[in-house]
Amino acid sequence: MFRFRIKKLAVFVTGLLIAGATAMAPLPMTNAADHAEATLVAGDPGADLADVFAFLDPNDNSKVVLALDVEGFVVPSELLNLSFFAPDVTYRLEIENTGDAAPDQTIDITFSEQTSRSQPQTATIKLPNGRVFTAPTTVQTLNATPNPFVVTTDPASGASFFAGLTDDPFYFDIVGFNRFVASVLAGSPDPTKLQRGRDSFAGYNIHMIALELPAAMLKGPAGNIIGVNGVTLRDKQTHRIEDGGDRTNGKLVQVDRMATPAVNTALIPFPRKNEYNASTPVDDAAGKFAGDIVGTLTALGTNATNIGILANVAVVHGDYLRLDLSIPNTSVGFGERVTTPGYTGFPNGRRPGDDTIDDLLYFITNQAITNGDNVNGNDVPLGNTFPFFAPPQQPRASGVIDDNTRN
Ligand SMILES: [Ca+2]
Ligand SMILES: [Ca+2]
Ligand SMILES: [Ca+2]
Ligand SMILES: [Ca+2]
């Protein structure tokens, strides 16, 4: 897929490089795929997208799994207090299926107020075909064994839904990556900084929302290629009320967006990160952030060919996860990356187990670093059936020394 796209990009990238030459900006430090990447969302965890996933169900390739997660780093001892989804946030999956940058379908998910620690919230799911159905969230427990995932299947649409805490599927050495980037910017690249091999996300949970849909529901004029973008929105106004409640009104405004991992986090300069979250893939395709992205990559020493590859993923037709529904998928990913023979994962959609950080390091370093951050998979096994994520990390028994965390 990459080689095919490189040729198409030559002219476009030349333009980007010219733009980038005048847009050199201080390189941002990376926090995560998208956790707390900008100041506004860092203070709004319920609306702070961390990761978005799009892949074919490995057990039935006629179905697509779409997932987004928010508010990570939930420690097992906080499973009850931090188990709810913000009732005043609209969680949206935008689907692009005509081949341009403008979304063509939306899937909206909202949640009722949390009324108790032991009762589920009710999610309302609005599908692209107009079908609306409701489903309970999965309630958490402080027991050693997690409650089983509650999956609701809507017979009328064939859609399945899950929302609840899961193990955070993202794996990445934040510290190693940042130390390596610092060495590059200091003029003496030091790949040994990537040898810590410590997964900053191991041992922590995250708020996961997952849907499984018939692939046919999402197809459009672009045939087997769909784009997926995660968005959170809030009412424009929130009024605090003296009795402790609040009241919201006004049109919905976008709080965060996330598709390709690490674009805003790693490639957009700090002063423009809030603006990036408020912008759209149409803005991306119009070149709103192209100079910033090229400037950052140029500062890292990435050459035109590899800038072209990365730009095609996140700029040319907007920042979407593009999934080819005709490419068979047989797993949720087990640490594979673009250098793995037969690889079919990210940036073809994104499976939970794909080593996205290694993919990005590979292209940023002009395909020189093939071992990435030396964190090669999730700390616990992913699931075999929908929603395919691992159960939440539970409080450990007395005497258990290793809680999986790798700070
Ligand atoms: Ca975010
Ligand atoms: Ca479109
Ligand atoms: Ca994990
Ligand atoms: Ca890795």
Side-chain angles (χ1 to χ4, degrees):
M1 186 170 67
F2 280 127
R3 288 189 179 84
F4 170 72
R5 286 177 171 173
I6 290 169
K7 294 175 184 172
K8 292 201 301 183
L9 276 170
V11 173
F12 185 82
V13 170
T14 302
L16 286 180
L17 286 168
I18 293 168
T22 58
M24 295 290 287
L27 192 73
M29 286 289 114
T30 297
N31 295 319
D34 205 70
H35 304 72
E37 79 287 1
T39 54
L40 290 178
V41 290
D44 189 2
D48 180 12
L49 292 161
D51 287 289
V52 176
F53 302 92
F55 56 100
L56 292 181
D57 180 335
N59 304 318
D60 179 355
N61 281 188
S62 74
K63 295 179 177 175
V64 180
V65 179
L66 305 176
L68 55 81
D69 55 29
V70 296
E71 194 175 356
F73 292 108
V74 176
V75 296
S77 56
E78 287 282 38
L79 279 173
L80 293 184
N81 289 344
L82 297 178
S83 66
F84 67 95
F85 290 85
D88 47 2
V89 170
T90 295
Y91 301 90
R92 176 171 291 172
L93 289 154
E94 294 182 338
I95 308 298
E96 198 297 301
N97 62 19
T98 64
D100 60 8
D104 305 291
Q105 298 180 339
T106 56
I107 300 166
D108 280 359
I109 300 137
T110 53
F111 294 89
S112 63
E113 295 270 355
Q114 188 192 34
T115 56
S116 121
R117 302 289 192 217
S118 58
Q119 295 298 313
Q121 293 173 269
T122 299
T124 299
I125 303 102
K126 296 180 182 175
L127 299 176
N129 63 6
R131 170 72 183 165
V132 178
F133 68 101
T134 60
T137 60
T138 298
V139 173
Q140 304 306 313
T141 174
L142 290 176
N143 293 338
T145 303
N147 288 333
F149 288 155
V150 176
V151 172
T152 300
T153 298
D154 173 46
S157 61
S160 294
F161 178 83
F162 163 83
L165 291 179
T166 68
D167 158 75
D168 192 333
F170 188 52
Y171 54 93
F172 169 41
D173 183 353
I174 297 173
V175 176
F177 185 92
N178 278 315
R179 289 176 178 170
F180 170 69
V181 167
S183 75
V184 173
L185 296 177
S188 52
D190 182 2
T192 66
K193 302 294 187 189
L194 294 168
Q195 291 177 359
R196 295 169 80 243
R198 295 180 73 86
D199 175 5
S200 304
F201 299 81
Y204 298 106
N205 299 311
I206 195 160
H207 293 67
M208 184 68 68
I209 299 169
L211 265 172
E212 179 165 78
L213 302 165
M217 187 185 292
L218 306 178
K219 285 187 182 181
N224 285 314
I225 309 295
I226 62 168
V228 179
N229 181 36
V231 172
T232 55
L233 308 104
R234 282 186 178 279
D235 288 342
K236 194 166 188 177
Q237 297 174 336
T238 298
H239 304 272
R240 296 289 182 191
I241 301 171
E242 285 77 0
D243 68 1
D246 62 17
R247 185 178 69 242
T248 62
N249 58 45
K251 67 173 186 177
L252 287 176
V253 292
Q254 185 171 308
V255 178
D256 197 5
R257 65 163 167 150
M258 203 273 167
T260 308
V263 173
N264 197 9
T265 309
L267 302 181
I268 301 297
F270 191 86
R272 297 197 78 187
K273 288 181 183 295
N274 288 325
E275 186 183 357
Y276 189 87
N277 283 341
S279 299
T280 68
V282 172
D283 295 326
D284 302 334
K288 185 173 182 179
F289 301 100
D292 299 296
I293 291 171
V294 172
T296 300
L297 290 168
T298 302
L300 284 170
T302 309
N303 64 25
T305 297
N306 290 284
I307 288 176
I309 292 169
L310 293 165
N312 192 50
V313 171
V315 179
V316 179
H317 296 296
D319 184 2
Y320 285 99
L321 281 179
R322 298 275 176 185
L323 175 66
D324 187 336
L325 302 170
S326 71
I327 297 177
N329 180 41
T330 57
S331 87
V332 290
F334 296 100
E336 302 98 318
R337 46 200 173 197
V338 290
T339 52
T340 305
Y343 180 73
T344 59
F346 171 78
N348 176 42
R350 182 182 177 187
R351 304 177 300 180
D354 290 338
D355 199 330
T356 53
I357 289 297
D358 285 15
D359 292 343
L360 294 167
L361 274 168
Y362 179 67
F363 293 111
I364 288 171
T365 62
N366 302 321
Q367 308 180 20
I369 289 184
T370 56
N371 292 328
D373 63 351
N374 289 286
V375 178
N376 298 321
N378 195 23
D379 55 319
V380 288
L382 296 168
N384 297 316
T385 58
F386 181 80
F388 295 103
F389 299 99
Q393 309 254 351
Q394 296 296 124
R396 303 306 200 257
S398 175
V400 173
I401 295 171
D402 188 357
D403 65 359
N404 283 27
T405 57
R406 297 288 184 270
N407 288 293

